[in-house]
Amino acid sequence: MSLTSIPKPRSTYKAGRSNNFEMNSWLFMRGSGLLLVVLVIGHLFVNLWQGDGIQQIDFAFVAGKWASPFWQIWDLAMLWLAMLHGMNGLRTIINDYASRGGTKFTLKTLLYFATFVTVVLGTLVIFTFDPCIDPASTLEVCTNR
Amino acid sequence: MWSWVAHRITGVTLFFFLFAHVIDTAMVRVSPEAYNVAVETYKNPIVGLMEVGLVGAVLFHAFNGIRIILVDFWWKGPRYQRQLTWGVLGIFVVLMVPFVIRHLSNVFGH
Ligand code: HEM
């Protein structure tokens, strides 16, 4: 038997049709990753490499950094991007390893809850930070007013 | 394969550390003393060594992440797979060695 024409496939699958959510989150992992290289390595450079490194970290150090909107925005962007990037990465890992629907649901609920709490807490801390929370503070910003 | 495993393990490690790190930093909203007590634990020699591991995890994950992005988006990326992997390990060593020296002298030298 010889076929002179190949019949049209009955499948309605279109190559261009893709899962937009997974595609967007794949892209987000790469975009946020690139930004995080700068944000995280810059954060480590200023806090752990410059000056006395880990020994310099105390309340006054934080007050000095968050006196500037530059570091507030830096830390805010780092918090949000790292948490969402990490959350999305963990979502993939849960999808890979948790086989039972119930386990998957429980782990993801826990993941989204922990992410939400951490992002909200961190954001509030950055925006409501008060260098003079201690009325007896001897920091320069507090004694000069 | 091993770099995929390492990328996964470092990613999960960093996520859990970040969760703890936001909570310890949140102590600045309690009182200067509460925050200073929290960061004092980071200056302990054992935690100081764990910080080396965390910074190592960040550096590996970051540069291996750039490698993944290059393989995905750069048209020559797949062809230079092997060289890119060596590049990741090279940058990792070049950044880690000075960091370990400086950080451990801060941790143990005070
Ligand atoms: C420093 C810069 C960073 C870069 C360049 C980067 C890059 C990447 C890339 C490209 C992926 C792969 C996504 C995929 O295969 O679809 C990924 C996965 C992941 N990242 Fe990051 N990332 C960075 C920081 C972080 C941080 C700070 C965390 C933790 C909060 C994190 C947690 C994860 C997790 C959990 C995964 C999933 C691993 C997997 O699916 O095997 N990453 N990262």
Side-chain angles (χ1 to χ4, degrees), chain A residues 26 30 40 49 51-55 57-59 62 79 82-83 86-87 90 93 96-97 118 125 128-129 133, chain B residues 8 12 15 18-19 22 26 28-30 32 35-36 39 42-43 58 68-69 72-73 98-99 102 106 110:
Chain A
W26 184 92
R30 279 139 186 86
V40 175
W49 177 271
D52 286 331
I54 186 74
Q55 300 292 347
I57 312 293
D58 60 8
F59 186 84
V62 179
L79 170 73
M83 283 308 295
M87 178 191 83
L90 262 113
I93 296 177
D96 281 357
Y97 298 124
T118 313
V125 167
T128 67
F129 178 71
I133 186 172
Chain B
R8 200 156 250 205
V12 175
F15 186 79
L18 180 55
F19 180 67
V22 170
V28 296
R29 278 307 283 136
V30 177
Y35 181 72
N36 290 346
V39 283
Y42 284 98
K43 300 173 187 174
V58 168
I68 296 173
I69 294 169
D72 286 341
F73 287 107
F99 171 75
R102 190 172 176 102
N106 280 331
H110 277 251

Side-chain angles (χ1 to χ4, degrees), chain A residues 33-105:
Chain A
L34 284 180
L35 291 169
L36 282 168
V37 173
V38 177
L39 293 170
V40 175
I41 294 179
H43 175 74
L44 293 175
F45 179 72
V46 171
N47 291 26
L48 282 186
W49 177 271
Q50 290 192 318
D52 286 331
I54 186 74
Q55 300 292 347
Q56 72 195 335
I57 312 293
D58 60 8
F59 186 84
F61 180 85
V62 179
K65 272 185 92 179
W66 283 347
S68 140
F70 177 82
W71 288 115
Q72 288 183 316
I73 294 169
W74 184 293
D75 288 350
L76 194 71
M78 187 166 61
L79 170 73
W80 279 74
L81 288 173
M83 283 308 295
L84 294 179
H85 176 104
M87 178 191 83
N88 204 44
L90 262 113
R91 184 181 64 83
T92 307
I93 296 177
I94 294 172
N95 279 338
D96 281 357
Y97 298 124
S99 44
R100 287 193 23 242
T103 316
K104 229 176 229 188
F105 179 79

